[in-house]
Amino acid sequence: PVNVIREDFTDEQLLYLGTDNGLYISVNQGTYWHLADSDMPRVAVHDLFIQTEENDLLVGTHGRSIYILPLEEVQQIPNLLTQSVAILEPEQIKHSKRWGQKSRVWYDAYTPKFNWTFFAQNHTDGVFTVTSEKGVVVHEEAIQLSKGLQKIPYGLVMQPDMVKSFNRKHKTGIEPADDGNTYLPKGTYTILWNNEVKTKLTIE
């Protein structure tokens, strides 16, 4: 059963649907519906409210309280439908000398929290690659993508066998931090999917 439906305030093609079996999203004014299940339980959704100032969707559920769904990435989907795979451009990241360092012997090292946001038309396999401004590959990873939006964690680190090439090409002497990882220095990095340029990552 359908309990509530709301139209996005930025695009009439985007609709949000609350049912007795979870939250659904349509990017084509209801022609097709997609289950929003990455962080949402499949419980009854009784009410939806769009908070326009914060650009959030508030989801009122039965027995699971209220969930908040940020809409910035969802609102980009209609512009991504011509691509089989897209990587959304991340915000600039502020570099920190604390990455990978331990402030106390008994504490874990401080690590940055970062996720790529991928959009895929269908389930697919591929390789995403991070290259430096001078074309040095610093990270390469084979992943499986599900249909729709999804987040892929990335620790902002270089793979160990790629550090030497980076230092030689960039004339630097970057070394591993206390946790053994070598973190990306400041700069702009190119992100590829199956050798096609998709977006940029800037660390300032």
Side-chain angles (χ1 to χ4, degrees):
V2 173
N3 300 318
V4 60
I5 186 170
R6 294 283 184 260
E7 180 183 286
D8 192 278
F9 67 99
T10 67
D11 189 342
E12 64 181 11
Q13 297 292 319
L14 273 172
L15 300 177
Y16 309 103
L17 185 74
T19 75
D20 276 358
N21 194 34
L23 173 68
Y24 288 79
I25 298 173
S26 174
V27 296
N28 49 21
Q29 215 167 29
T31 302
Y32 296 104
W33 292 94
H34 307 276
L35 179 64
D37 62 349
S38 60
D39 296 310
M40 272 288 302
R42 296 189 66 171
V43 296
V45 175
H46 290 302
D47 201 5
L48 298 170
F49 177 79
I50 298 177
Q51 215 291 339
T52 56
E53 290 184 4
E54 296 297 328
N55 203 16
D56 290 332
L57 178 68
L58 306 184
V59 184
T61 71
H62 178 78
R64 296 290 186 95
S65 191
I66 297 174
Y67 286 78
I68 299 177
L69 174 65
L71 295 178
E72 288 83 359
E73 294 169 348
V74 175
Q75 290 165 345
Q76 295 184 52
I77 294 178
N79 297 324
L80 305 175
L81 296 178
T82 57
Q83 304 180 54
S84 57
V85 173
I87 309 176
L88 276 63
E89 183 175 355
E91 295 182 354
Q92 288 188 344
I93 297 171
K94 186 72 173 178
H95 187 273
S96 173
K97 294 181 179 180
R98 294 177 56 207
W99 291 352
Q101 304 299 328
K102 291 184 177 182
S103 58
R104 298 288 188 277
V105 175
W106 52 86
Y107 287 173
D108 291 333
Y110 172 76
T111 56
K113 306 297 183 184
F114 177 77
N115 293 292
W116 299 113
T117 301
F118 279 80
F119 172 79
Q121 293 280 3
N122 297 289
H123 295 271
T124 186
D125 298 339
V127 176
F128 85 87
T129 307
V130 182
T131 63
S132 72
E133 293 171 309
K134 294 188 176 181
V136 179
V137 175
V138 296
H139 183 86
E140 192 169 69
E141 182 178 353
I143 58 174
Q144 294 181 329
L145 295 179
S146 302
K147 183 177 181 179
L149 279 177
Q150 57 223 276
K151 293 186 179 297
I152 306 295
Y154 174 49
L156 300 176
V157 299
M158 294 188 200
Q159 291 173 326
D161 58 341
M162 300 171 179
V163 176
K164 185 176 180 180
S165 295
F166 182 92
N167 282 333
R168 183 172 60 249
K169 188 75 172 181
H170 289 264
K171 295 180 173 55
T172 57
I174 298 173
E175 296 181 350
D178 293 344
D179 63 357
N181 291 317
T182 304
Y183 289 87
L184 299 180
K186 295 179 180 180
T188 299
Y189 299 85
T190 301
I191 317 306
L192 303 95
W193 172 260
N194 290 345
N195 293 321
E196 294 183 3
V197 175
K198 288 298 181 181
T199 190
K200 299 284 186 180
L201 168 67
T202 300
I203 300 177
E204 58 180 7

